[in-house]
Amino acid sequence: MNPTAQKPRYEWFQTERAITVTVLKRGLSSSEDVQVAYADCVLKISAQGEAIFEGRLSHPVEKTRFSLQVTPRKVELQMPKTTADRWAQLLADTAEPKVRVGPMTKVDWNRLEKEVIEEEKQELKEDDGDTGMTKALRQLYQSVDPDMQRAIMKSYVESGGTVLNMNWDEVKNKKIEVSPPAGLEYRKD
């Protein structure tokens, strides 16, 4: 590791039962990219072969019950406490402030809002749930001829989103009835 390279920023908080450390690190895709080592109160978190957090915790934690969450922008490690004591600081060998009182820094809310919106857009691009279905339907709609587009729109709107028909000759002269999936009932709110 380059000694002049800056370590990723981290934050921590605690509950009565656990300590949570969040390390801000971009470019991670899964928990397989992250390794956690803990021995004799020394915690080391590595990502893609690089140590992104390392230090001696001020109190012991339960090593066997760690919970790790990895997103494209951060690593969050939750560690159960061995006792319900309140920790004054995370690390034993630093001069962290004893108690956080009031805002530590000014927050640029406009910049923060832009970052959150950009992050949400990125997550939508990567999401394969409903967003993927919406994207597929949009591509389908844009790739068909105008008669099919009319059939899709008419069947979808008249059925309350429960029917999708691409045959204009079939739907042009009739009312499309609501047809919910088996076992479900349609409610008009």
Side-chain angles (χ1 to χ4, degrees):
M1 186 171 121
N2 182 354
T4 60
Q6 185 178 1
K7 292 242 185 197
R9 192 179 79 190
Y10 76 91
E11 299 170 347
W12 74 283
F13 65 91
Q14 64 183 306
T15 64
E16 189 175 302
R17 296 185 178 148
I19 295 293
T20 302
V21 176
T22 303
V23 182
L24 303 177
K25 174 73 174 161
R26 293 178 186 231
L28 303 175
S29 58
S30 74
S31 58
E32 294 173 2
D33 294 337
V34 178
Q35 296 80 39
V36 177
Y38 176 78
D40 299 322
C41 288
V42 176
L43 176 66
K44 181 177 181 181
I45 303 173
S46 301
Q48 301 166 332
E50 171 192 355
I52 59 173
F53 178 92
E54 189 169 7
R56 178 174 294 282
L57 300 179
S58 60
H59 298 274
V61 292
E62 291 184 33
K63 175 183 180 177
T64 59
R65 296 184 37 222
F66 284 6
S67 170
L68 181 67
Q69 270 192 318
V70 177
T71 68
R73 292 182 173 256
K74 68 181 179 181
V75 174
E76 188 171 280
L77 178 65
Q78 186 175 40
M79 307 170 286
K81 294 179 178 179
T82 56
T83 63
D85 297 336
R86 181 144 185 85
W87 294 20
Q89 59 187 32
L90 176 64
L91 301 176
D93 52 1
T94 63
E96 292 182 79
K98 299 288 185 205
V99 180
R100 291 184 186 178
V101 180
M104 301 275 292
T105 61
K106 281 193 163 191
V107 177
D108 181 355
W109 293 108
N110 292 329
R111 182 186 55 78
L112 186 61
E113 178 184 22
K114 287 177 186 174
E115 285 179 8
V116 168
I117 289 170
E118 189 59 37
E119 184 175 325
E120 287 173 349
K121 284 180 185 176
Q122 185 64 30
E123 287 173 2
L124 284 176
K125 287 179 186 175
E126 296 167 359
D127 191 11
D128 58 334
D130 289 341
T131 310
M133 178 60 80
T134 302
K135 186 176 180 182
L137 288 173
R138 184 177 297 123
Q139 287 175 343
L140 173 70
Y141 183 81
Q142 291 171 347
S143 68
V144 297
D145 64 64
D147 280 346
M148 284 186 181
Q149 288 178 344
R150 274 182 274 180
I152 290 170
M153 195 57 78
K154 183 177 190 297
S155 63
Y156 188 80
V157 170
E158 287 184 359
S159 71
T162 62
V163 174
L164 186 64
N165 190 325
M166 295 175 56
N167 187 341
W168 179 242
D169 292 329
E170 240 179 66
V171 299
K172 68 180 172 185
N173 295 324
K174 70 177 189 180
K175 169 95 169 97
I176 307 300
E177 298 296 322
V178 173
S179 178
L184 298 177
E185 93 180 32
Y186 181 74
R187 277 189 5 207
K188 191 169 186 175
D189 292 331

